[in-house]
Amino acid sequence: MGVPLRQQLTVGSYLIKQKLKGVKKYPLVLMLEPLFRCNLACAGCGKIDYPDDILDKRLSFEECMQAVDECNAPMVSIPGGEPLIHKEMHKLLRALLHAKNLCIYVQMPCY
């Protein structure tokens, strides 16, 4: 599967800007994990061994947006757990989709 032109332009222009500024180290992808819990129990996954107080930790919408603003990477990847069971995921995705020149990936678990 090819990389969409919009993503190529977004990432390419970001990389060029960083090089022109002389920045040596910069983020390329923000791995935003707003939810640790998963609704599955896959064999080999260690998440089911964590206590409930760890599994129930969630980042709020505001914390997620603060991380996106602070990182300033051109791509945001939302892995999991199971990110779509987060109560504010629709609000977060809507805000990320309206962000200027941002590529977004929501990673779904293997079933």
Side-chain angles (χ1 to χ4, degrees), residues 30-79:
L30 169 63
M31 299 294 285
L32 180 65
E33 191 168 352
L35 176 66
F36 194 65
R37 179 170 293 280
C38 183
N39 58 355
L40 301 174
C42 300
C45 179
K47 284 192 177 185
I48 59 173
D49 295 332
Y50 285 92
D52 282 341
D53 62 319
I54 298 293
L55 290 172
D56 289 337
K57 287 186 177 181
R58 296 172 184 258
L59 293 177
S60 68
F61 170 78
E62 290 78 18
E63 291 171 317
C64 291
M65 293 309 294
Q66 181 181 358
V68 170
D69 291 339
E70 183 179 321
C71 181
N72 201 29
M75 293 185 282
V76 176
S77 178
I78 304 176

Side-chain angles (χ1 to χ4, degrees), residues 19-38:
K19 293 290 183 183
L20 291 174
K21 290 179 186 177
V23 178
K24 300 265 188 225
K25 295 181 180 182
Y26 45 87
L28 188 57
V29 179
L30 169 63
M31 299 294 285
L32 180 65
E33 191 168 352
L35 176 66
F36 194 65
R37 179 170 293 280
C38 183

